[in-house]
Each structure stands twice: as structure tokens, then as C-alpha cells.
Amino acid sequence: VQLQASGGGLVQAGGSLRLSCAASRRTFSSYAVGWFRQAPGKEREFVAAISWSGGSTYYADSVKGRFTISRDNAKNTVYLQMNSLKPEDTAVYYCAARVGYSGSYYLLDNEYDYWGQGTQVTVSS
């Protein structure tokens, strides 16, 4: 499956962005999806994850209460709504997917099989 991440940009602190992860495969509804990010000079870190049905989600503590992950399986797309953005949210954001089982979501990058190309999010202070 091919993933296309989009929606990044430059925003002031306190602002909002919505990232999208569009998949090429119509069976995308069977895939669990995660968002990760990598800031310059830092390792890639987990941001949020969602089960194949959308019924289960999980967030990193650093974004909990500010970011919301959701999906529209009819559109083969997963979203990451980012509110109250902070300069420390600046990073390249990647979406990743893997076949999901039951209501599981996945937190580790090595659990995912497919990755999008990344979209840059820059938050100015």
C-alpha cells in the first residue's frame, strides 16, 4: 500500500493544522495507522495511533489533549488534527500503516510495514 502524507506547513504557536494520510489501497480499512515525527537531530518518535476500525486510539503524552487522530475508511484517509501547536511540535510528520488485528493499535515504528514520505510542520514562536 502506498501512503501520501499532506497538510503540513508553517503556523504560529497556538495555531492548528490537519494532516492527512491517504492510502492507495481500497482495503485500507483493514490497516492500523500511526503518526510519527522526527525533529532535526532527534530520533523519530511516536505521536498517535488508531486501530483499523477507528474504535481505539492512543497518544503520546506530549500531544494528548491537543492532537486527535481519526479516519474515514470510505475515503481511505487517516487524519491528525493538531491544535494548540507549540514550537516543540516542529518536525517532519510521517504516517505508517500495517494490517491491524482486532482493535489493536501499534506504538513502535518497527511494527509498521508501510510509510508515507513525510510532511513538514513548522511552528513559530
Side-chain angles (χ1 to χ4, degrees), residues 59-81:
Y59 299 91
D61 287 343
S62 59
V63 307
K64 200 173 296 182
R66 300 188 297 122
F67 291 11
T68 302
I69 189 170
S70 62
R71 67 190 300 158
D72 184 342
N73 285 339
K75 295 183 178 179
N76 293 336
T77 303
V78 170
Y79 304 99
L80 185 68
Q81 178 67 43

Side-chain angles (χ1 to χ4, degrees), residues 3-13 15-22 33-40 42-49 58-64 66-69 78-97 109 114-124:
L3 304 175
Q4 179 74 34
S6 62
L10 173 63
V11 63
Q12 289 188 333
S16 298
L17 284 173
R18 188 177 78 158
L19 305 184
S20 298
C21 177
V33 174
W35 284 97
F36 293 79
R37 66 186 181 186
Q38 187 166 21
K42 294 187 177 181
E43 293 189 354
R44 185 164 58 191
E45 65 174 0
F46 168 81
V47 176
Y58 192 85
Y59 299 91
D61 287 343
S62 59
V63 307
K64 200 173 296 182
R66 300 188 297 122
F67 291 11
T68 302
I69 189 170
V78 170
Y79 304 99
L80 185 68
Q81 178 67 43
M82 306 187 296
N83 298 329
S84 302
L85 282 162
K86 305 174 180 180
E88 51 263 43
D89 294 319
T90 295
V92 177
Y93 283 70
Y94 299 90
C95 61
D109 56 5
Y114 306 98
W115 289 82
Q117 84 291 359
T119 185
Q120 176 71 47
V121 171
T122 303
V123 184
S124 62

Side-chain angles (χ1 to χ4, degrees), residues 29-36 45-53 56-60 69 71 94-115:
S29 59
S30 301
Y31 287 74
V33 174
W35 284 97
F36 293 79
E45 65 174 0
F46 168 81
V47 176
I50 190 166
S51 62
W52 67 267
S53 68
S56 299
T57 58
Y58 192 85
Y59 299 91
I69 189 170
R71 67 190 300 158
Y94 299 90
C95 61
R98 59 157 289 159
V99 172
Y101 297 96
S102 185
S104 297
Y105 46 74
Y106 304 88
L107 310 185
L108 302 179
D109 56 5
N110 62 11
E111 295 183 290
Y112 289 90
D113 299 313
Y114 306 98
W115 289 82

